[in-house]
Amino acid sequence: MKNSDLTGKVILLLTNSKLPEAWRENGAQALRDVFEDAGYQTDLTLCDDPKKICDCIANETNPGDIVVVGGGDGTMNAVLDTVIENKVVLLPLPLGTANDFARTLTLPDEPLTAARAAIHGQITMLDIGQVNDQTFVNAASIGVPADARHRIDPELKRTFGAISYAVANWKSWQEMTPMELSVSCGDEEPQKLTLRQLTVTNGRYFGGGLRPSENTRPDDGSLHVFAIRDTVDTLSGMDIAAELLFGSVNDSNYAMTMQCDKISIKGNDGAPILADGEIISKLPADFTLHPAVLPVFAPNTFFDLVSDNASKEGQADIPQRALVNDIACDTQDLAIRLGAIVPVAKDETLKAACHDGARHLRDISRQFELTLRPYGLPTTSPDPDLHSLEELRDRVMGWLLDNADTRLANGLKTRCENLLAEIDDLDLPALPDELQTPMRTLNDEIGHLGNIFAKLI
């Protein structure tokens, strides 16, 4: 589907329970304005639940209409098949708890900002996964995540959002019996595995902001699998959680990964399968991929993640564009990480280093932002829930471990070393003059922090 296939009509489909109070009073006028200002005829329909949304799509739309669906991942999962069957274009509006599908598309968490970013973007055709006879777009899991689904505290979910998922997963990790499974990926011979968890991913995120691989995309033509063996202890499990937060278990010592377009899992018959936040099937299971079948309006930042962050036509270019982008994003992420550790660190030197380092890195990030804006960089921003998830993980470490400060310092030292290596790979004199100064300042600051963390180990 191409932009030229659009009818020029936007249908807003919002559930009453997800509707912000201000929109309830004025008929979501601020949201309607976003699309009408972009030149689209816009109609609003309030729905009781995802089934009513599907009925509206089936009965009240034409091929080429844009359907703006407000909700979380469960709502998006519920409308997938109807969107595809009726040849409309989905524009997801993040109004749920986790919003992993919206996050995968690089949509901002604030609904109006997300709507503006998407409607001024482009149509893309996404893959969807299928497990048995049920489709999913983000991920499907067995083991700990599926068991954790019934452990989520509704009150905690309402109050703290994605943190409730982490708490429920922690409980399941401690109490759930590992699974004896036979797993085959593609045409390979089945493997007999004893696992705590197996997750099949199609999108970039699942479980409230966890990201199993930096390179996974919902349009790459593959299903991606990661599995955690039963031999992984609690401390190593926390290391896996950190790897998921920071973007890759591909090279993990604790998780095994696979990539294919079909997966078969046998054993533990009847065990639930969690997909896009809902239990949708049970074992045994056959997973398949349907490539490029879901039309979605995505912001330009989603497309910027492809082709080594190439600059768009008419946009100023910059030498070493992809590496500069990585450094800018990693600087932002490290600033958040340092800030999250401040309230949980016990060692005063560690606490002070994290406090001052976070402040200095935020200053450098602001300089990067001003300098790199004409080049369309950085192409991503930190996940909205990253700070909360990081702080939760570090608090759990503090509760369980006497040497939590040492482990935190060691992790920060590694991250500093990785960022220094990225800076070292730069041909600094080739960069614009206004970028060289903050880059040198960053190098000095990261080197200083790395030395402090090394002395604390």
Side-chain angles (χ1 to χ4, degrees), residues 58 77 92 107 125 130 201 234 290 306 380 405 415 422 425:
N77 178 282
L107 285 169
M125 300 298 291
Q130 180 171 321
T201 65
T234 299
H290 301 284
V306 187
T380 59
D405 283 345
R415 296 200 67 188
E422 289 180 333
D425 286 339

Side-chain angles (χ1 to χ4, degrees), residues 130-152:
Q130 180 171 321
V131 51
N132 296 335
D133 59 348
Q134 299 293 316
T135 53
F136 64 93
V137 71
N138 289 318
S141 295
I142 59 175
V144 168
D147 178 78
R149 179 64 180 83
H150 74 269
R151 299 175 186 264
I152 293 176

Side-chain angles (χ1 to χ4, degrees), residues 72-214:
D73 297 316
T75 302
M76 301 308 157
N77 178 282
V79 305
L80 291 179
D81 295 334
T82 306
V83 166
I84 295 168
E85 290 167 6
N86 290 274
K87 297 181 172 59
V88 294
V89 183
L90 175 65
L91 192 158
L93 196 67
L95 293 176
T97 301
N99 299 318
D100 284 318
F101 182 49
R103 187 181 283 111
T104 284
L105 295 175
T106 72
L107 285 169
D109 206 44
E110 199 282 314
L112 291 180
T113 306
R116 291 190 192 94
I119 201 61
H120 292 292
Q122 308 170 47
I123 295 176
T124 185
M125 300 298 291
L126 302 185
D127 309 334
I128 62 170
Q130 180 171 321
V131 51
N132 296 335
D133 59 348
Q134 299 293 316
T135 53
F136 64 93
V137 71
N138 289 318
S141 295
I142 59 175
V144 168
D147 178 78
R149 179 64 180 83
H150 74 269
R151 299 175 186 264
I152 293 176
D153 184 327
E155 186 61 34
L156 189 65
K157 183 177 179 180
R158 281 191 293 271
T159 305
F160 293 106
I163 285 181
S164 63
Y165 292 90
V167 172
N169 274 273
W170 175 258
K171 293 179 180 177
S172 289
W173 180 274
Q174 297 296 312
E175 300 173 12
M176 187 180 172
T177 302
M179 306 170 296
E180 301 283 346
L181 300 174
S182 172
V183 181
S184 61
C185 191
D187 296 324
E188 296 179 1
E189 290 295 316
Q191 302 181 61
K192 300 291 185 181
L193 301 171
T194 305
L195 302 175
R196 289 179 177 269
Q197 171 180 342
L198 184 144
T199 297
V200 179
T201 65
N202 175 54
R204 298 179 68 229
Y205 293 93
F206 78 102
L210 303 179
R211 186 173 63 175
S213 173
E214 294 179 352

Side-chain angles (χ1 to χ4, degrees), residues 52 75 79 201 203 210 219 223 283 287 289 292 298 335 359 385 453:
K52 181 65 182 298
T75 302
V79 305
T201 65
L210 303 179
D219 56 0
L223 293 172
L283 291 178
F287 292 83
L289 183 76
R359 179 167 55 83
D385 293 321
F453 299 140

Side-chain angles (χ1 to χ4, degrees), residues 416-430:
C416 287
E417 290 170 347
N418 293 339
L419 188 48
L420 283 174
E422 289 180 333
I423 299 171
D424 190 56
D425 286 339
L426 278 175
D427 179 6
L428 198 59

